[in-house]
Amino acid sequence: MRTSQFHEVKTRQEASTTIMWLTGWSMSDKVFDPIRELLPDFHHISVDYSEAGSPEEMLVLIETVAKNILSSNGIAAHSRGDGGRLLICGWSLGGLLALQLAAKGYGDGLVLFAANARFTRTKEEMDLGWSVAAIQQMMIGLRKNPQEVETRFRQNLFREAEIRAGAGLGNILPFIGKWTITGLISGLQILRSEEVLTKLPIIACPVLVVHGTEDKIYPYSAALELVAGLPQAELLTIPDCGHVPFWDRESALVDKLRRWWHEH
């Protein structure tokens, strides 16, 4: 195949792919804007669950959007029958939600930024996640001082070296207070209770896992566990990186995403 023909095929494949974006707890999906700007030939749809009144409402919302994308009469202008594909990209909480969708058969591929298959862990598994007690303390704190809880959480997103290099609240992350209290609590309830570990073997679509080695929120060992449990998973390790593995490396990630997506 000549180069021009190959480019034409790639462009057609990308134009028929919708990327569904699922953001992290307390975060606006605008954190994905630098990546999306480098992917103008894909369709992009974001799901706003910041005002969810319950964890059930949040789960129903994302599933409804996924159904609509895959429906010829839905949000997207194409359907599977027309060659359309659904790629679900999730960060942190959004990654857990993406795995839940994939376990139900939604999505032709997943890109997971700093995600794991179960957030809360036993005392013996603290190298894989957080304790239930820690999540409960956050929920109690949200009812008293939500700004303090969000601020404290964000302080764990970056390594000190990343902050010195320019990462931080004022540069790439939206200001706190964008989510309602019920939305924040609903997200924490999902992190406390939902698990996809037992469902990983049935997730047949290809999965690209992007994870930093110095992640304080989702430990790197959880990424190894995730990849080991998925039938078709590839791990992209980001050395010396915290919980925001797409910060300041958008171009390289987009190049990798394109190559990986075309291979599958």
Side-chain angles (χ1 to χ4, degrees), residues 101-248:
L101 287 175
K104 292 183 177 182
Y106 297 102
D108 298 288
L110 300 180
V111 177
L112 305 177
F113 298 111
N116 67 10
R118 182 173 185 173
F119 188 64
T120 53
R121 301 292 179 140
T122 64
K123 184 177 180 181
E124 293 74 27
E125 297 177 315
M126 285 297 94
D127 61 326
L128 295 169
W130 288 20
S131 67
V132 172
I135 297 297
Q136 291 174 334
Q137 285 299 314
M138 289 179 70
M139 288 192 285
I140 293 172
L142 284 172
R143 296 184 174 93
K144 298 178 179 179
N145 191 337
Q147 183 175 2
E148 180 182 349
V149 174
E150 286 194 63
T151 299
R152 189 163 59 246
F153 173 77
R154 293 182 182 213
Q155 290 171 346
N156 289 316
L157 297 181
F158 296 101
R159 298 173 58 250
E160 290 186 10
E162 291 177 306
I163 295 175
R164 289 195 300 269
L169 305 186
N171 292 319
I172 71 165
L173 299 182
F175 292 108
I176 61 177
K178 297 297 183 181
W179 285 38
T180 63
I181 301 299
T182 56
L184 292 169
I185 292 176
S186 297
L188 289 178
Q189 288 174 324
I190 286 177
L191 290 173
R192 180 186 63 184
S193 304
E194 293 293 319
E195 69 88 15
V196 198
L197 272 177
T198 57
K199 304 173 186 176
L200 293 181
I202 67 173
I203 297 178
C205 67
V207 182
L208 177 62
V209 177
V210 184
H211 213 103
T213 58
E214 305 299 325
D215 193 331
K216 297 178 183 178
I217 307 294
Y218 282 47
Y220 181 70
S221 54
L224 299 177
E225 174 190 62
L226 178 59
V227 171
L230 288 163
Q232 290 194 74
E234 179 179 345
L235 176 61
L236 176 59
T237 299
I238 311 296
D240 304 318
C241 173
H243 192 58
V244 193
F246 46 83
W247 174 72
D248 200 35

Side-chain angles (χ1 to χ4, degrees), residues 21-49:
W21 295 92
L22 303 174
T23 192
W25 183 80
S26 81
M27 301 294 169
S28 165
D29 81 298
K30 290 186 180 298
V31 296
F32 298 127
D33 281 350
I35 301 176
R36 289 190 288 233
E37 290 173 1
L38 297 173
L39 296 167
D41 37 0
F42 287 76
H43 301 281
H44 299 280
I45 292 180
S46 296
V47 186
D48 182 4
Y49 34 79

Side-chain angles (χ1 to χ4, degrees), residues 1-8:
M1 181 183 294
R2 295 195 303 272
T3 302
S4 59
Q5 291 176 312
F6 180 65
H7 175 73
E8 181 180 346

